[in-house]
């Protein structure tokens, strides 16, 4: 068993920023990296919108920089996956966290930054071209397809928003909706339908994403007529929703119906004393590396303030 003042779960931009702040405040944080060390950014290529990198940086490299920065101030990084949590109900008491079903950690404060995972279609070709034409974030990657033709998949608000965003950068956007109608709000649907360079293909599904090194075509089929066609496109954006990584916290902390942890307004406080949440695990709206990093900073400051009550 190991005891600490501050335990951070998750190693994306939120977790590392929390670690940098907590270690500089001498909280000697321990970070449990999770199943995907570095988080979602390790699956992207160039990151051009994170402040401080004028020439852009590769996602995995940026996460390595954040890791080194957290280590420099003494964060202990442990590779492993949190399998269960036992949050104390009483203020100031220790929370118990089990890693890989056997290692027990006790900590007065816990920062949850386990992120969210984009949902994908599950095609082999989608995996093959990940970062080489396939993306789940138009704001992150849309710029690379300036003036080109792209495909967006999905019929909800995310797909509508991503299509509209991309329509301002790209020559043409094909929006593939698997049903004969969109699930997006009426206002978003109207915006999509009146954007001249968005072509909505209702009842269309993806068969395969094609290309050499990068995507150059998408094979789609109409699930009513059963006809298929090839769309010329260099980008393939999947916008079929995200899933917050909160399964292990179910019943232990307050979440909304979609599983996102609920934090108090303008803070990282949750409904459990000493447990804070930062990054995409509590944010279904902005979902950017920089907003996650900002909320990681908030969580570390909130944890520090909480601990100072017991000194
Ligand atoms: P949603 O769950 O609302 O929509 C997912 C969409 O993806 C649905 O149209 C669904 O189709 C489609 N889909 C799911 N699986 C597949 C698949 N395998 N192949 C093809 N299509 C598929 O997710 P969103 O991310 O769009 O939205 C999540 C929440 O966030 C919503 O509450 C939304 O309102 C909100 N949001 C709000 C925004 C805003 O207000 N600006 C922006 C973005 C999101 P089907 O309908 O057939 O099931």
């Amino acid at each position: 068993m190991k005891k600490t003042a501050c335990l951070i779960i998750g190693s994306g931009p939120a977790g590392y920023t929390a670690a940098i702040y907590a270690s500089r405040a001498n909280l000697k944080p321990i970070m449990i990296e999770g199943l995907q060390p570095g988080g979602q950014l390790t699956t992207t290529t160039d990151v051009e919108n994170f402040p401080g990198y004028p020439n852009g940086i590769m996602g995995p490299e940026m996460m390595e920089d954040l890791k080194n920065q957290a280590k420099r101030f003494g964060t202990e990084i442990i590779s492993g996956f949190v399998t269960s949590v036992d949050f104390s109900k009483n203020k100031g008491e220790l929370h118990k966290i089990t890693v890989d079903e056997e290692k027990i950690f006790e900590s007065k404060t816990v920062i949850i930054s386990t992120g969210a995972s984009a949902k994908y279609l599950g095609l082999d070709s989608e995996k093959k071209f990940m970062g080489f034409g396939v993306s789940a974030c138009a704001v992150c990657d849309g710029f690379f397809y300036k003036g080109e033709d792209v495909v967006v998949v999905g019929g909800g608000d995310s797909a509508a928003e991503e299509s509209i965003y991309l329509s301002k950068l790209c020559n043409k956007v094909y929006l593939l909706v698997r049903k004969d109608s969109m699930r997006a709000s009426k206002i978003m649907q109207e915006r999509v339908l009146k954007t001249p360079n968005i072509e909505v293909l209702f009842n269309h599904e993806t068969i395969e994403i094609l290309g050499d090194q990068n995507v150059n075509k998408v094979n789609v089929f109409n699930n009513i007529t059963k006809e298929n066609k090839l769309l010329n496109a260099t980008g393939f954006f999947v916008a079929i929703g995200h899933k917050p990584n909160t399964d292990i916290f179910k019943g232990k902390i307050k979440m909304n119906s979609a599983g996102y942890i609920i934090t108090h307004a303008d803070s990282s406080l949750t409904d459990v004393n000493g447990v804070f949440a930062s990054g995409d695990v509590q944010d279904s709206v902005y979902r950017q590396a920089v907003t996650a990093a900002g909320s990681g900073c908030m969580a570390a400051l909130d944890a520090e303030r909480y601990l100072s009550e017991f000194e």
Side-chain angles (χ1 to χ4, degrees), residues 253-280:
I253 199 160
K254 205 167 166 190
M255 299 175 189
N256 68 15
S257 58
Y260 286 89
I261 294 176
I262 297 174
T263 49
H264 293 201
D266 301 324
S267 84
S268 66
L269 272 65
T270 68
D271 69 322
V272 182
N273 286 315
V275 178
F276 308 88
S278 61
D280 289 11

Side-chain angles (χ1 to χ4, degrees), residues 119-121 153-161 176-179 181-185 188 204-205 239-242 284-285 287:
K119 292 182 192 162
Y120 287 95
L121 301 175
V153 184
D157 280 324
S158 292
E161 202 170 68
L176 302 188
V177 180
R178 66 179 172 183
K179 288 189 187 148
S181 62
M182 288 178 74
R183 192 195 290 195
S185 53
M188 294 297 276
H204 274 76
E205 295 178 43
I240 60 172
H242 282 76
S284 62
V285 179
R287 299 196 289 238

